[in-house]
Amino acid sequence: PTQKVGGKVRDGLATVTHVRPMLSLATKTDSGDAHEFDTTVQKTLGKDTIEYAAEPKFDGLALSLHYKHGVLVKAATRGDGTTGEDVTLNALVVGGIPRTVNGAPDELEVRGEVVMLRKDFQALNQAQQDAGKKTFANPRNAASGTLKLQNSAIVASRKLDAYLYYLLGENLPYDGHYENLKEVEKWGFKISDVTRKCKTLEEVFEFIRYWDTERKNLPVATDGIVLKVNSLR
């Protein structure tokens, strides 16, 4: 059960089997959990110092983008982690998702989060209310529901955005996750400009403390901080 994702595939959309499973993240709420994680990583790798990439966890819909020879050929939701929904046509009208990339490997997968900015969410709900239609509970639900619509014109009108947070594939530019994200940005993808590389656990805690409050000033909703060992190796 711990390897299952809590989503499901909606009827009416074509399905996509993920080449690499899209798994859930372990949720931790206590500083002791971070200490335990750090201790486990150090013991496992046999090192005293580990670099971490710390980044905001955007509250949206996870999306996998596949490019071949620099062209977007497939976009899929996470679904149940093994099978997702094909939303390629809608992904083409989402901000932050380029149709073509230059300088990237011939085949790559980029994962990220499709979101709706707070201001656009408020405008959408106002328009829904004015039209006597049902409003959305939060930006995440609005982004998720919109991306799965079968009318790309409506999707485009709702101004979805995307932040990319993971590069997969063979022959990646760098061993470092943070460095790969910076390379992804050069290719035309949008990444979070607050992502930071931390050399100590104290730097991690500084990042967490700062964004625990400052996240309210971000243009998009977040629901936590993600910590990753920076070295892919």
Side-chain angles (χ1 to χ4, degrees), residues 133-154:
K133 298 179 180 179
K134 185 178 178 180
T135 57
F136 292 93
N138 51 59
R140 184 189 188 283
N141 287 358
S144 178
T146 298
L147 191 65
K148 297 177 184 181
L149 292 174
Q150 298 193 16
N151 186 330
S152 294
I154 296 177

Side-chain angles (χ1 to χ4, degrees), residues 67 69-70 101-108 187 189:
Y67 288 80
H69 304 294
V101 294
N102 294 317
D106 286 342
E107 291 195 28
L108 76 152
W187 296 339
F189 295 95

Side-chain angles (χ1 to χ4, degrees), residues 122-140:
Q122 293 170 356
L124 172 61
N125 263 357
Q126 185 63 55
Q128 291 286 103
Q129 185 175 332
D130 293 344
K133 298 179 180 179
K134 185 178 178 180
T135 57
F136 292 93
N138 51 59
R140 184 189 188 283

Side-chain angles (χ1 to χ4, degrees), residues 76-218:
T77 65
R78 184 169 66 177
D80 62 6
T82 300
T83 303
E85 297 139 325
D86 187 334
V87 291
T88 307
L89 292 179
N90 287 344
L92 293 172
V93 297
V94 174
I97 298 179
R99 294 189 176 203
T100 60
V101 294
N102 294 317
D106 286 342
E107 291 195 28
L108 76 152
E109 178 182 359
V110 187
R111 292 179 180 175
E113 203 85 357
V114 174
V115 298
M116 183 174 289
L117 302 184
R118 299 181 200 272
K119 63 179 181 63
D120 294 326
F121 170 70
Q122 293 170 356
L124 172 61
N125 263 357
Q126 185 63 55
Q128 291 286 103
Q129 185 175 332
D130 293 344
K133 298 179 180 179
K134 185 178 178 180
T135 57
F136 292 93
N138 51 59
R140 184 189 188 283
N141 287 358
S144 178
T146 298
L147 191 65
K148 297 177 184 181
L149 292 174
Q150 298 193 16
N151 186 330
S152 294
I154 296 177
V155 177
S157 72
R158 292 186 179 178
K159 303 178 182 178
L160 295 180
D161 210 345
Y163 288 87
L164 288 304
Y165 56 68
Y166 199 13
L167 176 63
L168 301 93
E170 304 296 330
N171 303 315
L172 299 183
Y174 300 99
D175 174 58
H177 167 71
Y178 177 84
E179 288 74 16
N180 279 329
L181 284 184
K182 290 298 184 182
E183 192 71 15
V184 162
E185 189 174 31
K186 294 178 184 177
W187 296 339
F189 295 95
K190 180 180 291 186
I191 67 169
S192 169
D193 58 5
V194 306
T195 298
R196 176 183 173 189
K197 188 161 62 173
C198 301
K199 297 182 181 299
T200 66
L201 198 57
E202 181 51 41
E203 289 184 3
V204 168
F205 287 130
E206 289 176 3
F207 185 90
I208 293 172
R209 286 192 293 266
Y210 179 80
W211 287 108
D212 185 45
T213 301
E214 191 62 25
R215 66 188 178 90
K216 298 173 184 177
N217 295 321
L218 290 172

Side-chain angles (χ1 to χ4, degrees), residues 31-92:
S31 61
D33 293 324
H35 279 290
E36 182 181 349
F37 174 67
D38 179 61
T39 300
T40 301
V41 168
Q42 290 191 39
K43 285 183 178 179
T44 303
L45 299 183
K47 296 181 179 181
D48 295 328
T49 303
I50 305 294
E51 282 188 338
Y52 292 108
E55 54 197 73
K57 182 179 180 298
F58 293 107
D59 195 15
L61 179 71
L63 191 68
S64 170
L65 303 170
H66 291 264
Y67 288 80
K68 286 190 177 182
H69 304 294
V71 179
L72 177 64
V73 295
K74 188 73 67 179
T77 65
R78 184 169 66 177
D80 62 6
T82 300
T83 303
E85 297 139 325
D86 187 334
V87 291
T88 307
L89 292 179
N90 287 344
L92 293 172

